[in-house]
Amino acid sequence: MTQTRYTAKATAPTIEISEDTQETPLDLVVGLCKALASEQIAYCHWKSNNHISRSATGENDLDLLISRSDITNFTEILSRLGFKQAKGPTEKQMSGVHDFFGFDAEADRIVHVHAHYQMVLGHDMTKNYRLPIEKAYIRSAAQAGLFKIPAVEYEYIVFIIRMVLKHSTWDTVLGGEGKLNSAERQELAYLLDKIDPRQVANILQEHLPYLSVEFLDECLQAITTTESIRKRIKIGARLHKHLRSNTRHSYLKDIHLKFWRRIKIALRRRILNKSPKHRLGGGGILIAVVGGDGAGKSTVVDGLNAWLSRYFGTTQVHMGKPDWSTTTVLVRGLLYFASLARLVPRASSARNALQQKALISPGYPWLVREICRSRDRFRTYVRARRYAADGGIVLLDRYPVPQLKFMDDPLSGIFLEQLATSPRANEFLSPKKESRLASAILKQEARYYNYMAPPDLLFVLRVEPDTAVMRKTDEDPATVRERSTEFFALDWQGTRAHVIDAGQEKEAVLAEIKSIIWSAL
């Protein structure tokens, strides 16, 4: 067998972040590292240290191994810096490994801290192995620029074990994962260039005596050379045998979980078009955005969705145009055919209904449409609340609040008021307000809206009517001005709403809203 030759190097490499060759580290990451140092937290950035600069800029996760004795102080530091704890998808959750997310507002970037209180590794689907060498691993760490990083020999040993478990077992080879990817090859080259083989031997003898230097070399050959598949699988099986006392699950359960989780994730992505994301540890949240014409409601909601959905389970809901239920489809269909026969007015708005002549006055058909709409909004609200109760983030484009007298269409109660004050009231005033049927419909509609509690966060986008007219070029300027003026005049004092000047540039509006949201998560 060809023996690997190592180049002896210092055990604590210095990795500086040069501002002329690398991006500047995020202020949030700098603040975190300074706090860890000042409070003497025993930790290290335990893997992928060849790209430590990418961790400093938030492009990569911060994989931090934390001493058990410092867990409380560590989490307090994260809390002070505005980090939020979140739970990963069920198949990714592991004991002793937690996820925290922070927001650097200046850079508009979310920072993901992957905090390990014990060293858990293995295939991404199960992470079935725990190496009980955390104390020695952290003790070997030395300051290297912003972070403390472990002695390169420790990192090398753990890397080889990780790669064999990920790429050289029979199930991973059959699954098409038998080779290192480009990033893994770069990391291996970085480690091979720096290790001292004598230190590698000493660490194995002291902390992992069941792994010899010779066997580690065989593992290296399995992941870097064109060894036969049979030999690579054999080496992977031997490594599992050496580590079997450090497994989290039995061998059969580990194999079962790998295949089942692969299938489940593939079904989610290809059939349901969903990718599992983190859920907020403190529970989910409903965030509503309202505003007049041209205020940029949809633009803001789209921007927030792009920002949050990268890491968190997030859904976007248009409350102004809720999905139609089967009942609504049937009712609307009947009213449509009735309108073709001029039995009822074909009304897209209350005002439009008043201007039409039909065999049946607009009142009852409009009430029927509105009770269907309010029911659909309520059903949409229930689904949104359930999603948030499970830790998800719901972004609501429009929301029924007491201050608003419109939301794409007036509510039925407002419609009857328009009928009562219309010059043609005698012709169209049917149903009358005192009608039992009309009263019952209005009460049911009110119940639907009463069941809908205020959102957890409400953002009001306020824009000058003139600005709204300039922005909303695809609609009648007079209508846009009228609706925008009505909204602009609303008084939000005494409410929990966050009133945002939507006349600013889009980036400034989003930045202000993001800061408020992050503090509330």
Side-chain angles (χ1 to χ4, degrees), residues 170-224:
W170 70 267
D171 56 292
T172 57
V173 172
L174 286 179
E177 302 172 277
K179 295 182 180 179
L180 272 64
N181 60 37
S182 176
E184 291 165 345
R185 291 195 300 271
Q186 291 176 19
E187 187 171 354
L188 177 59
Y190 161 84
L191 295 169
L192 284 172
D193 184 56
K194 295 180 179 298
I195 61 169
D196 180 344
R198 294 166 298 181
Q199 291 294 336
V200 171
N202 291 339
I203 292 169
L204 290 175
Q205 184 176 6
E206 182 177 358
H207 301 290
L208 300 167
Y210 38 82
L211 299 180
S212 65
V213 173
E214 292 74 21
F215 178 63
L216 197 70
D217 187 65
E218 290 183 54
C219 290
L220 176 62
Q221 298 300 318
I223 60 176
T224 58

Side-chain angles (χ1 to χ4, degrees), residues 48 121 137 154-164 180 183-189 191 223:
S48 303
L121 44 85
Y137 205 93
Y154 277 95
E155 193 175 350
Y156 168 76
I157 292 169
V158 171
F159 178 84
I160 296 298
I161 294 172
R162 287 170 52 219
M163 293 303 106
V164 172
L180 272 64
E184 291 165 345
R185 291 195 300 271
Q186 291 176 19
E187 187 171 354
L188 177 59
L191 295 169
I223 60 176

Side-chain angles (χ1 to χ4, degrees), residues 226-244:
T226 55
E227 297 278 11
S228 67
I229 292 177
R230 180 173 175 273
K231 188 168 184 179
R232 286 158 51 201
I233 292 176
K234 185 177 179 180
I235 290 172
R238 285 176 60 195
L239 179 60
H240 168 76
K241 184 177 180 180
H242 290 314
L243 298 176
R244 65 186 182 276

Side-chain angles (χ1 to χ4, degrees), residues 357-406:
K357 287 188 176 181
L359 184 62
I360 301 175
S361 62
Y364 277 119
W366 187 266
L367 285 178
V368 172
R369 289 188 185 96
E370 283 305 313
I371 194 65
C372 288
R373 192 194 309 274
S374 60
R375 179 174 179 268
D376 290 340
R377 281 188 179 132
F378 173 70
R379 287 162 57 90
T380 300
Y381 166 81
V382 170
R383 289 194 296 269
R385 272 295 178 195
R386 287 173 180 169
Y387 189 86
D390 196 33
I393 299 173
V394 183
L395 300 171
L396 302 166
D397 188 338
R398 299 164 175 77
Y399 198 82
V401 292
Q403 285 81 2
L404 297 180
K405 301 299 183 184
F406 56 86

Side-chain angles (χ1 to χ4, degrees), residues 153 238 285 295 298 303 377 394 436 464 496:
E153 290 77 19
R238 285 176 60 195
I285 188 170
S298 297
R377 281 188 179 132
V394 183
R436 289 186 179 182
E464 293 277 356
R496 295 186 299 167

Side-chain angles (χ1 to χ4, degrees), residues 309-358:
S309 61
R310 179 182 175 187
Y311 293 102
F312 306 108
T314 307
T315 188
Q316 192 170 336
V317 177
H318 198 304
M319 288 292 285
K321 300 176 181 177
D323 292 336
W324 289 3
S325 65
T326 303
T327 301
T328 299
V329 171
L330 293 174
V331 171
R332 290 266 188 170
L334 289 173
L335 290 175
Y336 174 74
F337 286 113
S339 69
L340 293 180
R342 292 189 177 277
L343 298 176
V344 300
R346 188 189 301 179
S348 59
S349 68
R351 180 173 299 167
N352 178 254
L354 287 170
Q355 294 172 349
Q356 297 183 48
K357 287 188 176 181

Side-chain angles (χ1 to χ4, degrees), residues 241-267:
K241 184 177 180 180
H242 290 314
L243 298 176
R244 65 186 182 276
S245 62
N246 298 322
T247 55
R248 299 170 58 235
H249 310 296
S250 68
Y251 177 74
L252 290 178
K253 184 176 181 180
D254 184 48
I255 296 298
H256 164 74
L257 287 174
K258 285 179 185 176
F259 282 104
W260 165 239
R261 287 173 177 175
R262 283 192 188 103
I263 293 170
K264 186 167 69 170
I265 290 173
L267 289 174

